Amino acid sequence: VFGSVWTSLPFAVLMIAGALQGTPDALIEAARDAGASTWRVVWQVLLPMAATPMVIATTFTVIGVLGSFTVPYFTGPNAPTMLGVDISKYFQSYNRPQQSTAMAFIVFAFAAAASVLYLRSTVRSNARELGKGPR
């Protein structure tokens, strides 16, 4: 888990920091003029403005972890193997195609769920920019 966080965190922080810096100063100043505290500015101005980039960063991180897919096996035996190697072994060496198909389907389902979140966020962001979607 520490290795995965170590490799994924810098990219996610870079994307989220860029989104937070892209927040117009006028919005923050308007909230301050209205008497908002620092926490209220963060929760009601900064986080909603950075929601789409945070979803994108989370999606890329999830897909990256699924791509390497060593994290679930760190809790297993002393010499963990990557999931792709295990799926191949179950299919070819152990002659258990049902287990390999089930594992592949579960990985695909996780990746598809992360992709749906990404696409939903992108479509909503584009609709907002065009003025046709929910605000």
Side-chain angles (χ1 to χ4, degrees), residues 87-135:
I87 290 174
S88 177
K89 282 183 184 177
Y90 273 94
F91 188 78
Q92 294 173 349
S93 301
Y94 305 142
N95 197 21
R96 294 184 177 177
Q98 294 86 4
Q99 284 87 351
S100 63
T101 302
M103 287 189 281
F105 178 79
I106 289 170
V107 170
F108 176 77
F110 279 127
S115 299
V116 166
L117 289 174
Y118 169 74
L119 289 174
R120 182 175 171 225
S121 175
T122 304
V123 167
R124 291 177 96 187
S125 174
N126 289 342
R128 247 185 268 126
E129 287 177 7
L130 295 175
K132 298 179 182 176
R135 297 202 183 258

Side-chain angles (χ1 to χ4, degrees), residues 48-102:
M49 293 294 291
T52 300
M54 287 190 318
V55 168
I56 292 170
T58 303
T59 303
F60 285 159
T61 302
V62 167
I63 289 176
V65 168
L66 283 175
S68 64
F69 221 90
T70 56
V71 174
Y73 285 95
F74 285 147
T75 60
N78 289 336
T81 58
M82 293 178 74
L83 185 62
V85 174
D86 273 350
I87 290 174
S88 177
K89 282 183 184 177
Y90 273 94
F91 188 78
Q92 294 173 349
S93 301
Y94 305 142
N95 197 21
R96 294 184 177 177
Q98 294 86 4
Q99 284 87 351
S100 63
T101 302

